[in-house]
Amino acid sequence: MRSDDKLIKDCLSGNKQAQYELYQRFSGVLFGICLRYVRNRAEAEDLLQEAFIKIFSRLDSFGFKGSFEGWLKRLVVNQAINFRRDSLKQLFFSTRADLPETENDEEPDTADMVSLPQQKLLQMVQSLPDGYRLVFNLYVFENLSHQQIAGMLDISENTSKTQLMKARKKLKIMVEAELAQQHISVKS
Amino acid sequence: MKDERNNIDKLFSEGLGDFSPAPPPGMWDRIETGMSATESSRQTGYSRSGKIILPMIAVVFLAGIALLWMRRDGHPTTEPTAASKETSNYRTAEPETNAPSNTSTTGYAVNQTEERKGKTLIAALPESEYGNTLNNPQPASAGEIPQSGNIPARQNGLDQYSTKEVSTDKTYPAVVQLTALRTDLINRLRTHPASFTGMDYSSAFNLHFRDAFRPDFKHRGNIPLLGGIYGTWNMISYGNKHHKQSRSAGFSLSTFRGAWLLETGAEISLSDDNGRYVVNYNSYDSLGYYNKVVSFSPDPANPGTVVFQTKVEGVYDSIGHAYETNTKHRYTYLQIPLMAGYQLYANRLFSISIKAGPVFSMMIGSDEPSAQFSNTAASLESIDNLTPSRVSANWQLAAAAGFGLHVSPRLTLLAEPVYKTYLRPVYQNQRTRPQSFGIKAGLLYRF
């Protein structure tokens, strides 16, 4: 099995087998990211296709510094943002003037974490409105601050915070509904 | 607002953090197809553009031919009747000069072919009029125009027919000459582009050159041609308060019929835009501090207790950062306009015209410098390019108002405000179509 660096160099030299190996190695984790950022599987497939085309066309800009997987993930996330860039202004327009509200879930996180099937969690994320989902993903999975998210999406920090808060509320309702079916309760 | 991660965040980040589903089976084939399509579009970009340029060249070429045909076909209709008469006289004189022995039964040394030509030219005249001038030259005085059978063939030489031409002019009644002259002048003023009236003004009244549309340029061909060089400054609005400048220089070729104008040419345009990058880097940052135990010893003053000697130690770790930065990108376009125009007003010094038409624009070069990162205390992770890609070819609709200052018979200074609207968005995957407003300034030369 080739190392990442060797694999990249072979891809850069136009080796089709190496390109396929790179795809095999990283397509799973990148497809998982794509699924989180879009509404359904069909959109995720389109996004993954565009992302890999971009990965192979910009592989020469990697520079062999830092983690290659991290570079791939960032590229996919950027591609996901661009996927919605046309409608970004509209996504956040309705909440542009919103001030951050005080969350009413100030109770300590004493509840034991529950676990739900990945498919259920994914469905919940995908069912969020586009703006909520985008901010939630960037904040929770990419560990970006509201300042970074605001800069990246060209929105205000308050908008980012509001979107995150609303996303959490919606997800909490969905999680509680799911757990209610299983007769389990959770605090958040 | 609480900004920390809460249970919902943890539930999802732990549940989906390592989510790695298998992509659909045909995905690699789709990617390969997409990659080959991207490569082929890069390779065939110019040939595809050529498919657009070639029809444009064909349109310009056909328009030129149409103009030439209109010019040749329309020319006699603008000429007065008297000019046709003169032409007929010149034609009848030529063959006799070359073949003085070819004498007709009427005493004129008129070649049969040339006679047909002369009649064809005169056909537009009323029967009575041309009958008087050629077939029955009675109105001329007997001393100047020889009668049938009275002139020997050897006398039909050049000198004699030179005399005859002059004498034929004298056969016109004075009122016909004046009418013809006035018609000539009116036709000229109506059909001749007003901007060049001054240029031909002195010869417009010359009877000897009435049948030549532009006496000074009689042998230069039938299509009036204007060449120009110019520079343009444009302010392009991309929407959302995003404005950028562009500068261009080019040449134009135009022709006209009456007050109508047809213009094409080519220009090279340099357009600026912002490149948008996100720089991801790691720096060794302080996370806080702790008290490091250097040594410990039993406290002699308080038996059973231990005294710890500590010192404060900072805690550092590699922290990821990201910031967004802009760079200046420059794009080079080749633009080919095809404009139709109309001259609204003109005098000897000044003219005003309006123009409109499509402009084909094709990107022929781009300079997109990436963001630079120069922090020796940090390590660069990656630089992500968020700049939206530009389309390689576009169409614009342009409208302009031209103001010309005629500094000499052949040279005109031009100033032209130009408005353009793009028929397609400049950026891929975006819907906003830019608009531009600019000023064009240059010099026109009449060939």
Side-chain angles (χ1 to χ4, degrees), chain B residues 11 16 36 72 75 107 111 125 166 180 197 228 292 325 328 421:
Chain B
L11 176 67
L16 292 175
S36 57
R72 283 182 171 165
H75 183 67
N111 182 300
L125 299 175
V166 174
T197 299
K292 181 181 177 182
T325 184
K328 187 176 180 181
T421 181

Side-chain angles (χ1 to χ4, degrees), chain B residues 234-239 335 339 355-361 394-400 418-426 431-438:
Chain B
N234 277 303
M235 178 61 80
I236 306 172
S237 171
Y238 292 97
Q335 297 191 328
M339 309 278 275
K355 292 180 212 167
V359 180
F360 175 69
S361 177
N394 210 329
W395 283 93
Q396 303 160 4
L397 272 183
V418 185
Y419 168 80
K420 287 180 187 172
T421 181
Y422 291 61
L423 297 184
R424 290 174 56 200
V426 166
R431 296 191 188 93
T432 310
R433 292 182 301 174
Q435 299 179 5
S436 76
F437 183 79

Side-chain angles (χ1 to χ4, degrees), chain B residues 375-436:
Chain B
N375 185 349
T376 52
S379 65
L380 178 66
E381 276 284 296
S382 67
I383 297 176
D384 300 331
N385 188 355
L386 300 185
T387 313
S389 301
R390 285 190 163 225
V391 297
S392 58
N394 210 329
W395 283 93
Q396 303 160 4
L397 272 183
F403 301 93
L405 178 67
H406 310 303
V407 294
S408 82
R410 288 185 182 274
L411 285 175
T412 301
L413 285 174
L414 178 75
E416 200 170 275
V418 185
Y419 168 80
K420 287 180 187 172
T421 181
Y422 291 61
L423 297 184
R424 290 174 56 200
V426 166
Y427 302 118
Q428 287 175 0
N429 303 321
Q430 290 201 7
R431 296 191 188 93
T432 310
R433 292 182 301 174
Q435 299 179 5
S436 76

Side-chain angles (χ1 to χ4, degrees), chain A residues 71-176:
Chain A
W71 182 82
L72 291 175
K73 285 179 177 176
R74 270 192 296 275
L75 201 144
V76 172
V77 169
N78 285 332
Q79 191 69 18
I81 294 170
N82 282 331
F83 201 69
R84 292 266 173 262
R85 189 166 287 281
D86 274 356
S87 51
L88 269 184
K89 293 287 178 189
Q90 285 74 26
L91 291 184
F92 301 108
F93 181 75
S94 58
T95 54
R96 180 171 286 277
D98 288 352
L99 292 173
E101 299 168 19
T102 306
E103 277 190 286
N104 55 8
D105 51 358
E106 293 291 334
E107 316 112 78
D109 297 337
T110 53
D112 292 335
M113 288 294 294
V114 293
S115 64
L116 290 170
Q118 283 185 323
Q119 280 302 329
K120 280 284 173 198
L121 293 173
L122 183 63
Q123 280 175 9
M124 292 176 192
V125 172
Q126 287 181 337
S127 68
L128 289 172
D130 290 342
Y132 296 5
R133 187 173 57 247
L134 198 50
V135 173
F136 183 78
N137 268 304
L138 292 172
Y139 187 85
V140 173
F141 293 98
E142 318 309 332
N143 290 315
L144 296 180
S145 68
H146 285 298
Q147 188 182 3
Q148 289 172 318
I149 294 170
M152 196 172 265
L153 302 181
D154 197 18
I155 58 176
S156 70
E157 279 189 54
N158 281 342
T159 303
S160 173
K161 289 175 183 174
T162 310
Q163 297 278 313
L164 177 67
M165 188 200 68
K166 289 181 176 176
R168 281 172 176 164
K169 276 184 181 174
K170 270 191 173 289
L171 289 172
K172 184 183 170 190
I173 292 168
M174 285 188 269
V175 169
E176 284 177 345

